[in-house]
């Protein structure tokens, strides 16, 4: 039977037949009396347990004073309980059962001798004794006589019973009136439940994206180490003619490739979280520079149009990641237009106010494709989600866009109408920096200005070997520590070093940043350069003010950073 229908019939019967309401009130009264009886017994039991614990605490406290016959301390412990109105009498007795000290409120004399026994309830008082012992030796005993319950608490309990009886009577009056509002309250509750479920779903989505980013960050770190081995080995191959050295470099590159093949299996959980190297860029010029990439990546039947507002504000992003994000969206737009179409890329200033609290630059990429159905809209930025057939796409493109824009402090929005196309909006914070002039590349490697020795802290053996080769090519000497602890030991035993070059992510209790801080504390004049392939570590190093090499890096970049660090010491 429907519970709602049963409740409706019951309330109608109460309204039409007062006897039913009286019967309900009587049942509530009986239940209240039963509850009071139960509470009375439970309160007495709890009180006895509490007083027993306090008596044992007093026994433990008096062990020392009784052992040394310290009358003053015994009196202080006994007198401390006088402040509690629950204790009517308290006494301390020596090992022979003779009274040592105590007090009694009601004028009744304390027993001259204390006979130990079980707790006894006498009227509204509890009388109990507790032995005082230490290391198995009996030192005496304590006598406690306390009220089982204060009258105020008992009155409060019975007052509660009276309130229940009154409420039972009022229930008959208000129950019918309450029924009218119950229906409206139920509708509001259902609406709140729907809203809460939507909020919980949004939270789960955010947590899922964050967990994926954390997981893939670690994979990216290992993959950058492999890229470092391969790119540095290839670069050093071009710089040496020694057959033995070339063969050793080839072995290192080959091992890196093999490790990369194994790591590929883990890339199924890879959502691209590459370290960012932000620069101040001009959006319009940067996108126009991708024209050649668009021509090679898109089909001939896909046309690309640009629309850039005058006076666009600069933004601060990683240029290469920005290019990849724009290209990823354009490729998705191409795939949504199998019969050809048009992609329009626009950029406008988006001043603070309304939905945003700061100045933004909004880049929009609009296509004339098939659009995205509403049920798929909330999934498009999930890693590995794709509408393409197996083998034609990994589903990492838009998740990379999401991660890059959020890491740059921006927002991603998407609008789509089935059959009329899709628009992706990328919003980036306005940069207060000016557009830097492009540096003139000399193509020369900055050699060591003197015979400097570098302490290399790197746990990966292959990376450490290639870093040492690059240092040797630049004219530096080097020694390697496989951990922060080993690097500190070398610094203490064979130092000082002209410079310390440390990876940030290393095994052990100390990471690279903590090593750098310890080196600065021990050897204030020694410059420290950090290297990493992990985005969060790179941001931490930059915040601490240490020079940074982002893996994979070139020998030219290493020579420049090390030269500047040595020059500034």
């Amino acid at each position: 039977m429907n519970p709602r229908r049963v409740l409706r019939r019951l309330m109608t019967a109460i309204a039409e037949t007062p006897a039913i309401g009286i019967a309900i009130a009587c049942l509530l009264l009986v239940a209240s009396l039963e509850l009071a009886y139960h509470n009375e017994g439970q309160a007495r039991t709890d009180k006895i347990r509490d007083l027993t614990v306090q008596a044992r605490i007093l026994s433990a406290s008096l062990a020392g004073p009784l052992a040394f016959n310290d009358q003053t301390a015994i009196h202080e412990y006994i007198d401390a309980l006088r402040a509690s109105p629950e204790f009517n009498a308290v006494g301390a007795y020596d090992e022979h059962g003779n009274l040592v000290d105590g007090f009694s409120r009601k004028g009744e004399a304390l027993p001259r001798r204390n006979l130990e026994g079980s707790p006894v309830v006498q009227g509204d008082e509890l009388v109990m004794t507790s032995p005082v012992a230490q290391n198995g030796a009996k030192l005496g005993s304590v006598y406690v006589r306390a009220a089982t319950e204060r009258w105020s608490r008992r009155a409060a309990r019975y007052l509660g019973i009276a309130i229940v009886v009154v409420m039972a009577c009022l229930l008959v009056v208000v129950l019918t009136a309450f029924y009218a509002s119950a229906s409206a309250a139920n509708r509001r509750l259902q609406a709140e439940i729907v809203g809460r479920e939507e909020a919980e779903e949004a939270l789960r989505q955010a947590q899922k994206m964050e967990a994926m980013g954390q997981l893939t960050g670690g994979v990216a770190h290992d993959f950058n180490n492999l890229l470092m081995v391969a790119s540095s080995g290839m670069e050093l191959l071009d710089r040496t003619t020694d057959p033995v050295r070339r063969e050793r470099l080839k072995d290192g590159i080959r091992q890196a490739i093999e490790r990369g093949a194994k790591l590929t299996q883990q890339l199924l959980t890879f959502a691209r979280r590459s370290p960012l190297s932000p620069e101040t860029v001009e959006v319009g010029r940067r996108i126009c520079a991708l024209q050649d990439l668009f021509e090679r990546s898109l089909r001939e039947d896909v046309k690309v149009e640009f629309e850039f507002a005058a006076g666009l504000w600069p933004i601060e992003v990683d240029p290469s990641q920005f290019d990849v994000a724009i290209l990823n969206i354009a490729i998705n737009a191409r795939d949504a237009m199998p019969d050809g179409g048009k992609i329009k890329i626009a950029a406008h200033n988006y001043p603070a106010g309304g939905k945003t609290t700061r100045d933004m630059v909004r880049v929009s990429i609009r296509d004339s494709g098939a659009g995205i159905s509403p049920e798929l809209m909330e999934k498009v930025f999930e890693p590995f989600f794709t509408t393409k057939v197996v083998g034609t796409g990994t589903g990492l493109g838009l998740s990379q866009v999401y991660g890059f824009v959020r890491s740059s402090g921006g927002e991603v929005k998407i609008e789509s109408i089935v059959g009329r196309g899709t628009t992706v909006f990328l919003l980036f914070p306005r940069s207060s920096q000016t557009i830097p002039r492009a540096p003139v590349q000399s193509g020369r490697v900055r050699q060591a200005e003197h015979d400097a020795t570098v302490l290399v802290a790197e746990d990966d053996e292959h990376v450490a070997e290639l870093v040492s080769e690059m240092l040797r090519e630049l004219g530096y000497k080097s020694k390697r520590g496989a951990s922060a602890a080993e690097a500190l030991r070398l610094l203490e035993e064979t130092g000082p070093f002209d410079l310390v070059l440390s990876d940030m992510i290393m095994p052990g209790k100390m990471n690279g940043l903590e090593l750098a801080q310890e080196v600065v504390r021990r050897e204030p004049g020694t410059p420290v350069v950090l290297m990493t392939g992990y985005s969060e570590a790179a941001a931490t190093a930059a915040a601490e003010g240490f020079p940074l090499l982002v893996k994979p890096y070139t020998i030219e970049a290493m020579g420049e950073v090390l030269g500047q660090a040595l020059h500034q010491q």
Side-chain angles (χ1 to χ4, degrees):
M1 185 176 293
N2 192 331
R4 181 178 297 180
R5 184 177 301 174
V6 173
L7 181 61
R8 186 184 299 114
R9 289 181 179 178
L10 177 61
M11 285 189 272
T12 303
I14 291 175
E16 296 176 352
T17 309
I20 296 179
I22 295 173
I24 294 176
C26 291
L27 289 175
L28 290 174
L29 178 59
V30 172
S32 300
L33 293 175
E34 177 63 24
L35 179 62
Y37 178 79
H38 173 76
N39 287 344
E40 183 74 16
Q42 186 63 41
R44 182 178 293 268
T45 301
D46 292 344
K47 187 64 178 179
I48 292 175
R49 184 178 62 250
D50 293 342
L51 292 177
T52 301
V53 171
Q54 293 188 44
R56 290 176 180 173
I57 293 174
L58 177 61
S59 299
S61 302
L62 291 177
L66 285 174
F68 294 97
N69 196 22
D70 188 347
Q71 298 290 337
T72 302
I74 294 173
H75 180 75
E76 288 177 353
Y77 280 118
I78 297 295
D79 196 59
L81 297 180
R82 191 189 298 269
S84 175
E86 296 180 339
F87 292 95
N88 295 330
V90 177
Y93 295 81
D94 61 18
E95 58 182 341
H96 302 296
N98 298 320
L99 180 64
V100 178
D101 197 357
F103 69 89
S104 178
R105 297 185 190 279
K106 298 184 178 181
E108 299 178 8
L110 291 169
R112 302 306 303 172
R113 296 181 62 83
N114 188 20
L115 300 177
E116 297 179 18
S118 302
V120 177
V121 177
Q122 298 177 353
D124 60 350
E125 287 187 329
L126 170 67
V127 178
M128 64 174 300
T129 60
S130 180
V132 179
Q134 190 174 44
N135 297 327
K138 181 178 179 182
L139 302 176
S141 61
V142 296
Y143 171 88
V144 175
R145 190 171 72 245
T148 56
E149 186 176 21
R150 289 180 297 176
W151 68 268
S152 57
R153 292 186 61 182
R154 183 170 297 175
R157 186 165 61 250
Y158 287 109
L159 179 61
I161 298 175
I163 292 175
V164 170
V165 174
V166 173
M167 293 300 296
C169 297
L170 291 177
L171 178 64
V172 178
V173 178
V174 303
L175 195 57
T176 304
F178 175 78
Y179 173 73
S181 62
S183 180
N186 182 65
R187 288 193 297 270
R188 290 195 300 269
L189 179 61
Q190 293 298 326
E192 291 175 359
I193 291 175
V194 172
R196 184 176 61 183
E197 289 176 348
E198 293 175 351
E200 289 175 349
E201 179 61 28
L203 177 61
R204 283 193 293 268
Q205 175 70 11
Q207 290 173 336
K208 183 164 55 177
M209 296 296 291
E210 179 63 20
M212 184 60 67
Q214 292 175 357
L215 179 62
T216 58
V219 177
H221 172 250
D222 291 341
F223 194 62
N224 273 323
N225 275 341
L226 299 180
L227 290 177
M228 180 65 191
V229 173
S231 63
S232 301
M234 292 294 296
E235 195 169 2
L236 289 170
L237 275 175
D238 294 336
R239 296 173 177 271
T240 182
T241 58
D242 182 1
V244 176
R245 189 179 179 192
R246 288 178 63 88
E247 193 63 31
R248 188 169 63 249
L249 291 172
K250 290 179 181 178
D251 288 342
I253 296 173
R254 191 177 299 110
Q255 292 178 16
I257 294 173
E258 293 173 355
R259 291 169 61 191
K262 296 178 181 178
L263 190 60
T264 302
Q265 299 302 318
Q266 301 177 42
L267 293 182
L268 293 176
T269 56
F270 178 63
R272 194 172 182 121
R273 200 177 181 184
S274 302
L276 301 180
S277 299
E279 297 179 11
T280 304
V281 300
E282 184 179 339
V283 173
R285 183 176 300 175
R286 191 75 198 180
I287 295 177
C288 288
L290 298 175
Q291 183 66 43
D292 291 340
L293 281 176
F294 289 142
E295 292 178 357
R296 289 194 295 267
S297 303
L298 308 179
R299 300 187 307 271
E300 293 183 356
D301 58 356
V302 176
K303 305 300 181 184
V304 181
E305 295 182 358
F306 301 101
E307 180 184 301
F308 303 120
L312 277 176
W313 296 323
I315 61 174
E316 195 167 345
V317 295
D318 184 312
S320 61
Q321 293 289 327
F322 179 80
D323 295 348
V324 171
I326 298 297
L327 188 59
N328 269 333
I329 299 174
I331 291 174
N332 277 276
R334 175 204 66 189
D335 295 339
M337 299 182 295
D339 298 326
K342 181 175 66 175
I343 299 175
K344 183 176 182 180
I345 303 178
H348 298 84
N349 293 333
Y350 200 65
K355 296 183 178 181
T356 179
T357 58
R358 51 182 176 169
D359 291 341
M360 309 284 280
V361 175
R362 185 174 70 178
V363 179
S364 62
I365 300 94
R366 177 178 300 171
D367 65 63
S368 57
I372 305 173
S373 61
E375 61 270 16
L376 298 181
M377 281 286 288
E378 61 183 18
K379 299 181 180 180
V380 294
F381 292 119
E382 292 183 4
F384 324 121
F385 175 78
T386 178
T387 57
K388 303 174 185 178
V389 298
V390 177
T392 60
T394 63
L396 291 176
L398 289 181
S399 72
Q400 182 273 336
V401 173
Y402 180 89
F404 157 67
V405 176
R406 295 295 292 176
S407 298
S408 302
E411 301 175 15
V412 185
K413 299 179 181 179
I414 187 167
E415 296 178 357
S416 184
I417 300 176
V418 176
R420 299 181 60 182
T422 301
T423 304
V424 179
F425 298 96
L426 310 180
L427 287 91
F428 297 95
R430 176 185 182 180
S431 175
S432 59
Q433 306 295 324
T434 56
I435 305 294
R437 293 183 178 179
V440 178
Q441 301 293 338
S442 64
R444 299 177 57 189
V445 178
R446 181 168 181 171
Q447 300 289 327
E449 298 179 1
H450 61 283
D451 192 19
T453 302
V454 178
L455 173 59
V456 179
E458 170 61 63
D459 61 295
D460 190 289
E461 183 177 353
H462 299 292
V463 175
E465 183 177 351
L466 284 171
V467 168
S468 298
E469 290 285 348
M470 295 168 73
L471 289 171
R472 188 179 299 111
E473 184 71 22
L474 291 171
Y476 295 97
K477 298 178 180 179
S478 65
K479 286 189 176 182
R480 179 212 174 193
S483 64
E486 186 176 344
L488 289 176
R489 181 180 60 78
L490 290 173
L491 186 68
E492 182 177 350
E493 294 178 357
T494 63
F497 291 88
D498 296 288
L499 184 141
V500 175
L501 176 62
S502 174
D503 189 18
M504 288 196 66
I505 308 298
M506 291 190 294
K509 298 181 179 180
M510 182 179 293
N511 59 32
L513 180 59
E514 293 169 338
L515 170 62
Q517 294 168 340
E518 182 65 18
V519 170
V520 171
R521 187 185 70 81
R522 295 187 183 186
E523 303 288 343
T526 302
V528 181
V529 175
L530 296 173
M531 51 184 179
T532 187
Y534 193 45
S535 57
E536 293 184 0
T540 304
E544 294 291 332
F546 288 103
L548 182 68
L549 283 168
V550 178
K551 298 177 183 177
Y553 51 82
T554 64
I555 193 171
E556 289 85 357
M558 172 186 272
E560 186 67 25
V561 173
L562 298 189
Q564 291 178 1
L566 286 169
H567 182 72
Q568 293 174 359
Q569 68 176 355

